[in-house]
């Protein structure tokens, strides 16, 4: 079994910052790509950022100037630093690990940005 657990969400004012954390554990043998996705009420889930096992990153265009994904070297632990948050960033943020063509998802952490 694989467990993916997110933390760090909360309520923040517009212009503020938050740092999300995600740790994957269980039957994982190696270092795998991971990523952050988000889903706002009434909208489809969208990619925020991904990072390979080697640290190569990819971002959604609308977030690449404000968000930074990183990971602990040699671990399946990733972070999402979010700066200059906007009300439209309000969403549930989900972490995922991609292993053997399967995606393992966490339950999500809520980020709410007040105006």
């Amino acid at each position: 079994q694989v467990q993916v657990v997110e933390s760090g969400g909360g309520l923040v004012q517009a212009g503020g910052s938050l740092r999300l954390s995600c740790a994957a554990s269980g039957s994982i043998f190696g270092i795998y790509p991971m990523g952050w996705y988000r889903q706002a009420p009434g909208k489809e889930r969208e990619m925020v950022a991904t990072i390979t096992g080697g640290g190569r990153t990819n971002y959604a265009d609308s977030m690449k100037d404000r968000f930074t994904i990183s990971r602990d070297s040699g671990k399946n632990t990733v972070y999402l630093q979010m700066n200059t948050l906007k009300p439209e960033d309000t969403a549930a943020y989900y972490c995922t690990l991609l292993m053997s063509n399967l995606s393992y998802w966490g339950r999500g952490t809520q980020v709410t940005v007040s105006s």
Side-chain angles (χ1 to χ4, degrees), residues 31-36 47 49-59 68-71 78:
I31 307 302
Y32 293 95
M34 299 184 70
W36 289 97
M47 188 271 286
T50 61
I51 187 166
T52 66
R56 183 173 296 180
T57 58
N58 183 47
Y59 294 90
T68 302
I69 189 171
S70 61
R71 68 186 304 157
V78 295

Side-chain angles (χ1 to χ4, degrees), residues 37-110:
Y37 289 70
R38 70 184 187 184
Q39 187 167 19
K43 295 188 177 181
E44 293 186 353
R45 189 172 295 190
E46 62 176 343
M47 188 271 286
V48 176
T50 61
I51 187 166
T52 66
R56 183 173 296 180
T57 58
N58 183 47
Y59 294 90
D61 286 343
S62 62
M63 291 169 257
K64 62 182 179 181
D65 294 332
R66 299 183 295 121
F67 293 2
T68 302
I69 189 171
S70 61
R71 68 186 304 157
D72 287 339
S73 179
K75 295 183 179 180
N76 290 305
T77 302
V78 295
Y79 307 94
L80 185 68
Q81 178 67 42
M82 304 185 293
N83 298 326
T84 318
L85 283 162
K86 305 175 181 179
E88 50 264 42
D89 294 318
T90 294
Y93 284 71
Y94 297 90
C95 178
T96 185
L97 176 141
L98 178 64
M99 180 175 68
S100 301
N101 292 323
L102 293 176
S103 292
Y104 297 87
W105 294 88
R107 294 187 175 184
T109 185
Q110 179 67 34

